[in-house]
Amino acid sequence: MSLLSREELNDPNIIDGGPLAGDYKRGSNSLGELILRELTRQGDNVAFVHGITSLRMTFGGILDQSLTLACYLRDELGVRSNDVVALVSENRFEYPVTICALMYLGARAALFNPLYTARELEHCIGLAKPNVIFVAAQTCMAVQRACVKIRRPAKIVHYDNGARGLTYQQCLEDSGRMLKLGSFVPEATNLEQHVALIVMSSGTTGLPKGVQITQLNVITTLTYTKELLTVLSKNAAQMVAVDVMPWFHVAGGVSMLNWMLNGMQLVFIPRFIPRVYLSCIHQYRPNMLNTVPPIAVFLAKNPLVDEYDLSSVKTIICGAAPLSREVEDLIRSRLNVSSIRQAYGMSETTLAILVQMDEDNLPGSVGKVRAGQYAKVVDTETGKTLGPNQNGELCFKGTLIMKGYIGKEDAIDKQGWLRTGDVGYYDKNRNFYIVDRLKELIKYKAFQVPPAELEALLLSHPKVKDAAVIGVPNEKVGELATAFIVPAEDVRVTPEEIVKFLNDQVSVHKRLHGGVRLIHEIPKTASGKILRRNLRELAKNKAKL
């Protein structure tokens, strides 16, 4: 656990979230040991329900399959502690089973977006260097091509039966032993240092970075969820949630582990389909929804909502981007939910590090610092810590902070502080508010879109002289990536031509959903930095372009 220095202890502007629960490690020597114990304890209770097929999987089923898979990975594929194994798939039953198996072995699970293009896959596989890659049918060809291109000799395991090559089902059938729980004991690990998950987080400099999340990071979040469920469960025999968040994303994947290891039943769907989502709520009567602002807007405004009974929902948790007070009020009045809890976090903080924990939450606030964590707001020029109601960069320290980026272990400063690049402030009661972003990432739905990556691609087009990309606010999805293009001399280029050129090379969330606008010159500072604020003003008034 990160501690404050003597100087920091004397700084009244450093916010202390208070101590973690005394048993927050749950008496575990490794995350794998904790998973074994919790799955065993839940037994025949239903853990997952596929919202489209209605198929179910119990905690005992996860336990049996994950132990069998772990033995195959260890004995047949040679997976050992600290080895990297990647998952490139949509949400499906095999996903949590694979993660559990890897945790028993002390391996690292690298979670990749199944919609990555070949170029993005090459980068991520080259960065994480997995020895084994689990793939879904839709991704297998792209993954195999990427491995060949960068000469990474990873073993491919196919989740879908009928695929050419080793399948997940064959791994289970060929494991060669019927395991009893006592025959598999995960090795003890250094919880603070041992990496459990690698998630990909886009940065302002371009392609995704590999965020290393430790076993202690994950275990800390489990404690928070246990405390939350104690408050929310009341007379419920088992808490139920409906979730559409993708599990390769930190907000989806770590939340999924939290629900599973705290005994919840999770109804999941691979992607957001309005009527399927609403029918799952109607049919399975969840107590809780895990959402992002675009889904919250859908619940607040879409007329389809009135066709379904959503009265079971008592709590909505919303993260990934701020939720406006207007949308929050609409949801409260329409669904009659008792609690809407906003939170703030990022891949680098494992999950939410600021969260609304009270029933009566302040509109617009993202809550207070979680137990065991520290926060400060610093002047962006001097680095001086600031007091209440002063805007500055948010910085955090504690058991939720990542180990570092792959290849960049010094991403955390020497005192253990993570600089977020987000601007905010806290009030006299230590409620935090997000104001703006120092970093230039565009938020599309729950995804981060780096302008620098898109600009580099646009500049590779022979008809483009200069380019800049900004996010244009959109209530439904957050921001739309919008490009400003200066055409090359004496050529004719159309916005449609540029949109197709870029969209063919990037994932869906990185596409130019805001379109292309032609301009005579990109506004820049004397040092050549793009004046994105000027472009945002231009975007408000097309006549000035």
Side-chain angles (χ1 to χ4, degrees):
M1 180 176 180
S2 298
L3 299 176
L4 298 180
S5 66
R6 181 176 300 177
E7 181 182 357
E8 290 170 337
L9 284 170
N10 294 324
D11 188 337
N13 295 327
I14 291 180
I15 310 300
D16 183 349
L20 277 163
D23 62 344
Y24 74 95
K25 293 183 181 179
R26 299 197 186 185
S28 301
N29 295 309
S30 70
L31 179 56
E33 177 188 324
L34 188 154
I35 291 172
L36 274 176
R37 185 168 63 246
E38 292 301 322
L39 293 178
T40 302
R41 189 168 64 87
Q42 291 296 329
D44 293 332
N45 289 335
V46 174
F48 294 97
V49 179
H50 195 298
I52 296 176
T53 66
S54 297
L55 292 174
R56 302 177 177 221
M57 191 172 208
T58 65
F59 291 93
I62 297 170
L63 178 64
D64 291 343
Q65 284 197 22
S66 59
L67 284 169
T68 305
L69 181 62
C71 280
Y72 188 90
L73 292 172
R74 181 190 62 188
D75 299 341
E76 302 299 327
L77 299 185
V79 174
R80 296 291 183 266
S81 180
N82 286 313
D83 283 351
V84 176
V85 175
L87 287 73
V88 194
S89 171
E90 76 284 2
N91 296 0
R92 57 193 298 156
F93 291 117
E94 295 89 347
Y95 208 102
V97 171
T98 305
I99 292 179
C100 291
L102 296 176
M103 295 307 102
Y104 304 153
L105 299 172
R108 309 177 184 199
L111 313 181
F112 296 164
N113 186 343
L115 298 180
Y116 275 153
T117 64
R119 169 176 160 273
E120 292 163 329
L121 279 172
E122 290 164 17
H123 168 77
C124 293
I125 293 171
L127 190 67
K129 296 180 173 55
N131 298 327
V132 178
I133 306 176
F134 285 83
V135 299
Q138 71 189 78
T139 66
C140 64
M141 293 302 295
V143 168
Q144 289 172 331
R145 285 194 295 265
C147 288
V148 170
K149 180 103 176 262
I150 66 171
R151 298 181 181 179
R152 181 67 193 173
K155 183 68 177 179
I156 306 296
V157 180
H158 300 269
Y159 277 141
D160 297 282
N161 291 329
R164 296 180 61 183
L166 180 64
T167 67
Y168 173 90
Q169 188 60 37
Q170 287 173 334
C171 292
L172 299 182
E173 293 172 357
D174 297 343
S175 185
R177 61 185 69 187
M178 292 298 291
L179 281 169
K180 293 183 179 179
L181 181 59
S183 68
F184 197 107
V185 180
E187 294 182 10
T189 61
N190 182 332
L191 296 176
E192 293 187 23
Q193 295 297 319
H194 199 104
V195 174
L197 305 174
I198 296 171
V199 296
M200 309 310 294
S201 176
S202 297
T204 57
T205 56
L207 288 164
K209 294 177 288 186
V211 175
Q212 300 179 99
I213 295 175
T214 69
Q215 293 194 1
L216 181 61
N217 293 156
V218 176
I219 290 173
T220 299
T221 69
L222 299 178
T223 299
Y224 296 140
T225 300
K226 182 179 180 181
E227 293 173 351
L228 176 63
L229 296 183
T230 299
V231 174
L232 299 180
S233 60
K234 297 181 180 178
N235 298 321
Q238 184 183 24
M239 288 289 289
V240 179
V242 169
D243 195 1
V244 70
M245 297 281 284
W247 293 341
F248 66 81
H249 191 286
V250 68
V254 177
S255 291
M256 177 268 287
L257 290 174
N258 271 264
W259 307 144
M260 177 179 70
L261 298 177
N262 280 289
M264 282 187 66
Q265 181 182 131
L266 186 63
V267 181
F268 70 92
I269 53 178
R271 60 188 176 88
F272 181 70
I273 306 170
R275 286 196 178 275
V276 172
Y277 181 71
L278 293 172
S279 66
C280 284
I281 301 173
H282 180 97
Q283 178 180 354
Y284 294 104
R285 314 296 294 159
N287 324 71
M288 180 190 303
L289 300 179
N290 189 30
T291 67
V292 291
I295 295 177
V297 171
F298 169 82
L299 292 172
K301 297 185 176 183
N302 197 291
L304 284 178
V305 173
D306 295 327
E307 300 179 22
Y308 297 83
D309 179 3
L310 310 188
S311 61
S312 66
V313 178
K314 303 303 178 186
T315 299
I316 293 178
I317 298 175
C318 188
L323 183 65
S324 71
R325 179 173 183 171
E326 292 74 18
V327 171
E328 187 173 329
D329 289 343
L330 283 170
I331 293 174
R332 286 184 186 277
S333 62
R334 190 179 199 186
L335 302 186
N336 194 31
V337 296
S338 58
S339 178
I340 297 177
R341 298 169 186 262
Q342 292 203 60
Y344 166 89
M346 53 201 304
S347 300
E348 291 84 348
T349 65
T350 308
L351 209 54
I353 196 165
L354 300 172
V355 67
Q356 296 177 332
M357 289 298 294
D358 302 322
E359 288 289 337
D360 186 21
N361 294 309
L362 291 173
S365 169
V366 289
K368 296 183 178 182
V369 184
R370 288 193 128 160
Q373 316 308 315
Y374 305 96
K376 63 181 179 179
V377 178
V378 302
D379 185 283
T380 57
E381 298 294 331
T382 66
K384 177 184 176 182
T385 57
L386 302 174
N389 302 306
Q390 294 179 280
N391 289 344
E393 183 178 6
L394 300 177
C395 301
F396 298 103
K397 180 179 184 178
T399 54
L400 286 176
I401 305 303
M402 67 171 182
K403 182 176 182 179
Y405 299 115
I406 294 176
K408 294 180 64 178
E409 301 291 335
D410 60 347
I412 313 300
D413 73 19
K414 293 180 180 179
Q415 286 72 45
W417 290 97
L418 170 73
R419 299 189 65 165
T420 66
D422 289 323
V423 176
Y425 68 94
Y426 59 92
D427 63 22
K428 64 179 181 179
N429 296 317
R430 298 185 171 183
N431 295 294
F432 278 77
Y433 300 79
I434 307 300
V435 175
D436 202 351
R437 285 194 296 275
L438 282 177
K439 56 193 178 186
E440 297 163 347
L441 293 175
I442 297 165
K443 273 290 186 77
Y444 177 78
K445 297 185 177 179
F447 297 98
Q448 295 178 334
V449 181
E453 179 187 358
L454 304 188
E455 288 159 1
L457 288 171
L458 290 168
L459 289 171
S460 69
H461 193 290
K463 294 183 179 181
V464 173
K465 179 181 179 181
D466 204 357
V469 177
I470 64 167
V472 174
N474 179 275
E475 184 181 58
K476 291 185 177 180
V477 298
E479 293 177 310
L480 302 174
T482 305
F484 289 82
I485 299 296
V486 178
E489 304 293 339
D490 301 320
V491 299
R492 183 181 180 279
V493 63
T494 65
E496 294 77 14
E497 179 181 353
I498 298 300
V499 167
K500 185 178 187 308
F501 168 78
L502 186 125
N503 288 358
D504 286 347
Q505 301 185 71
V506 297
S507 303
V508 172
H509 67 276
K510 294 181 182 179
R511 292 178 180 174
L512 295 175
H513 296 284
V516 167
R517 304 182 188 183
L518 304 181
I519 193 172
H520 298 298
E521 183 180 20
I522 302 295
K524 296 180 180 180
T525 65
S527 62
K529 184 177 180 181
I530 296 171
L531 292 169
R532 299 184 194 276
R533 182 176 298 177
N534 292 23
L535 292 175
R536 292 188 185 98
E537 289 300 317
L538 286 174
K540 294 177 183 178
N541 188 352
K542 295 182 181 181
K544 293 183 179 180
L545 296 182

